[in-house]
Amino acid sequence: MTFFDAALWDGKVFTGDWATPSGGSTEILEKATGTALGRAGVADAGDVSGAAASAAAAQRAWAATSFEERAAVLRRAGALIEANAAELRDWVVRETGAVPGLADFAVGVATQECYEAAALAHRPAGEILQSNQPRLSLLKRVPVGVVGVISPFNVPLILSIRSVAPALALGNAVVLKPDLRTPVSGGFAIARVFAEAGLPPGLLHVLPGGADVGSALVTEPAIRVISFTGSTATGRHVGELAARHLKRVHLELGGNSAIVVLDDADLDRAVSAGAWGSFLHQGQICMTAGRHLVHERIADDYVAALAEHADHLPVGDPFTAQVALGPLVDAGQRDKVHALVTATVDAGAKLAAGGTHDGLFYRPTVLDEVRTDMPAYAQEVFGPVAPVVRFGSVDEAAALAADSAYALSLSILTGDAMRGLALAERIPSGIVHINDQTVNDEAVAPFGGILDSGTGARFGGAGNLDAFTEQRWITLRGEIPAYPF
């Protein structure tokens, strides 16, 4: 049996051990071929309360465990991911449709998330506060208790473990709901790693399921914090439901990120960066460059070169062939992407490259002569589509880039970095990259969007401390003071 053998979770969920859920089971499909890779258990809302109760019971002892023991579990988890990286990469490739390079990146980030979480356990547990009274005044950080994590299909390994690892390191238990389309790299593989790393039973539960399971996580009284990554529409529902239950929620939502190419940018490198930002992982990344804003002086050359890049990128099965793009996640996503492209062309845009598909394999697409009201520009496509809009001045570029409900990632490409930084100050965005494209991630960096892209940056050391602990005020006096009554 291999480390991530599908026989482990055949028709099961993880509740400290592999168990049969109430909702039956479903096939785990290879996205490129439709081949069944195994079966996953499907949880229902009734499974959530049992998992939450078990997690709450286990969490109390875990919170009392020394920081050194918690850190050691996280370090062992990171080492196990490293030791089994090739097998985990193959699961990511086959289950999500990622090319091997992206899968290797995901495995590497997952490893680092565990190591950074181990370091997080060593952080000071609080601070000494000033007081105008003769007493010792302290702020102590305490675990929130049980954390609910809801992760999406696109890069599920990273988007699950970036919440699971720090939450566990800080003394919490976790109930994780991965997307039903990617239950292994989004959940079961993580459960396997932590079980082998020595995490005590009951602290991590993995319940693949539908919207009913997500809603049950949010409304379950024993779960005190929700970390959600997914679409803005679903995130609004999660946020509203959490508010009704007075529950803290962290939302990492959609994006329609702009890449701004100024007239002094190196054109060849700008085109390469633009292609990477729009076409990596078939555009199924929240940070994907969904709007290319290009100075009118260089726009014709930019579009021609970007279209040439798109035409020469190989598309196919990333597990068996050397390709640049793999499949979209399912037919529904493909149809959504194609509908947006078709509607934009019908509205008058020029199809410079792509716009066709073979099954779930969608050709990288470049759209020129785009207006800001066209669907593929105004909406998040979540596919390999690069709409290009021209601008004539820096003021116009700032206005165009800022004219979006989303504000996740921003790229500015220029020969003058300080000029780019000054422009970025005029555009709301949770993340800014000067002279790089929009898709970047590091375990040590804060991550998150504002406006319709989420509730702000959270990940990274200090952000995770705030996300997964409560702040308790404690005072100590040498003797009880005398009061007037």
Side-chain angles (χ1 to χ4, degrees):
M1 179 179 287
T2 61
F3 191 82
F4 296 112
D5 199 298
L8 289 167
W9 49 75
D10 185 26
K12 303 292 199 304
V13 298
F14 187 80
T15 59
D17 200 352
W18 302 105
T20 301
S22 303
S25 66
T26 186
E27 285 187 325
I28 305 166
L29 297 179
E30 183 176 32
K31 302 305 178 287
T33 65
T35 301
L37 303 173
R39 296 194 70 83
V42 179
D44 64 15
D47 292 313
V48 172
S49 58
S54 172
Q59 185 271 332
R60 290 186 285 273
W62 180 241
T65 300
S66 76
F67 71 89
E68 294 166 312
E69 292 180 57
R70 286 185 270 118
V73 170
L74 271 297
R75 286 194 297 271
R76 288 195 293 270
L80 283 165
I81 294 174
E82 282 188 306
N84 297 280
E87 187 183 357
L88 183 53
R89 175 199 61 211
D90 287 350
W91 268 108
V92 173
V93 169
R94 302 184 76 182
E95 188 184 42
T96 74
V99 297
L102 178 61
D104 284 334
F105 175 77
V107 172
V109 170
T111 302
Q112 290 306 312
E113 290 287 356
C114 290
Y115 291 147
E116 289 298 323
L120 190 65
H122 290 253
R123 290 284 190 102
E127 57 186 281
I128 299 175
L129 305 176
Q130 297 284 1
S131 178
N132 60 9
Q133 300 290 318
R135 63 189 179 190
L136 184 61
S137 181
L138 307 172
L139 180 156
K140 182 181 180 182
R141 290 189 178 272
V142 297
V144 298
V146 182
V147 175
V149 179
I150 303 172
S151 64
F153 70 83
N154 56 328
V155 194
L157 179 60
I158 293 177
L159 300 179
S160 292
I161 206 165
R162 68 162 31 155
S163 294
V164 171
L168 290 173
L170 292 168
N172 301 287
V174 175
V175 181
L176 165 63
K177 189 200 87 66
D179 192 289
L180 272 172
R181 291 167 289 186
T182 53
V184 177
S185 51
F188 292 158
I190 295 169
R192 171 74 169 122
V193 163
F194 276 102
E196 189 69 17
L199 184 73
L203 289 170
L204 175 60
H205 299 252
V206 178
L207 304 178
D212 61 326
V213 177
S215 294
L217 279 179
V218 179
T219 59
E220 167 57 47
I223 296 174
R224 297 311 310 152
V225 168
I226 296 292
S227 176
F228 171 86
T229 304
S231 71
T232 296
T234 304
R236 288 187 192 280
H237 172 71
V238 169
E240 291 167 0
L241 196 57
R244 287 203 295 273
H245 291 265
L246 300 179
K247 190 169 296 190
R248 195 172 355 147
V249 61
H250 306 287
L251 302 174
E252 202 282 281
L253 308 179
N256 193 12
S257 299
I259 180 167
V260 181
V261 186
L262 299 182
D263 57 352
D264 59 351
D266 181 310
L267 184 62
D268 290 340
R269 292 197 174 187
V271 169
S272 176
W276 184 267
S278 282
F279 304 145
L280 177 66
H281 198 33
Q282 303 78 258
Q284 297 175 124
I285 300 174
C286 57
M287 298 169 283
T288 289
R291 297 179 296 149
H292 292 239
L293 309 178
V294 186
H295 194 280
E296 60 189 13
R297 188 173 67 80
I298 60 172
D300 287 344
D301 291 338
Y302 181 89
V303 170
L306 186 61
E308 184 178 5
H309 270 64
D311 285 338
H312 286 88
L313 289 174
V315 180
D317 183 345
F319 189 62
T320 60
Q322 189 169 352
V323 297
L325 284 80
L328 294 172
V329 69
D330 58 25
Q333 184 63 23
R334 177 205 61 206
D335 293 346
K336 177 198 169 190
V337 171
H338 195 57
L340 289 170
V341 170
T342 300
T344 300
V345 172
D346 289 347
K350 176 185 175 183
L351 185 64
T356 62
H357 61 85
D358 179 7
L360 299 184
F361 301 101
Y362 205 93
R363 289 294 314 171
T365 298
V366 179
L367 298 170
D368 193 16
E369 300 176 15
V370 174
R371 299 190 311 272
T372 59
D373 62 344
M374 291 180 174
Y377 177 92
Q379 301 179 41
E380 182 183 32
V381 177
F382 226 62
V385 180
V388 180
V389 167
R390 291 159 164 76
F391 65 84
S393 68
V394 170
D395 288 343
E396 187 180 2
L400 284 167
D403 186 23
S404 174
Y406 297 104
L408 177 53
S409 186
L410 170 67
S411 159
I412 298 176
L413 307 180
T414 175
D416 182 345
M418 296 307 295
R419 181 189 184 203
L421 189 60
L423 174 57
E425 293 295 325
R426 303 169 61 180
I427 303 165
S429 185
I431 301 165
V432 174
H433 300 294
I434 307 299
N435 283 330
D436 201 354
Q437 45 76 42
T438 54
V439 182
N440 278 274
D441 194 15
E442 290 189 53
V444 296
F447 185 96
I450 56 176
L451 304 180
D452 284 4
S453 290
T455 51
R458 175 182 70 74
F459 305 101
N464 283 324
L465 277 173
D466 290 339
F468 300 126
T469 64
E470 305 285 5
Q471 297 184 42
R472 176 178 294 171
W473 183 35
I474 302 172
T475 69
L476 297 88
R477 289 178 181 264
E479 58 183 26
I480 302 172
Y483 287 95
F485 56 89

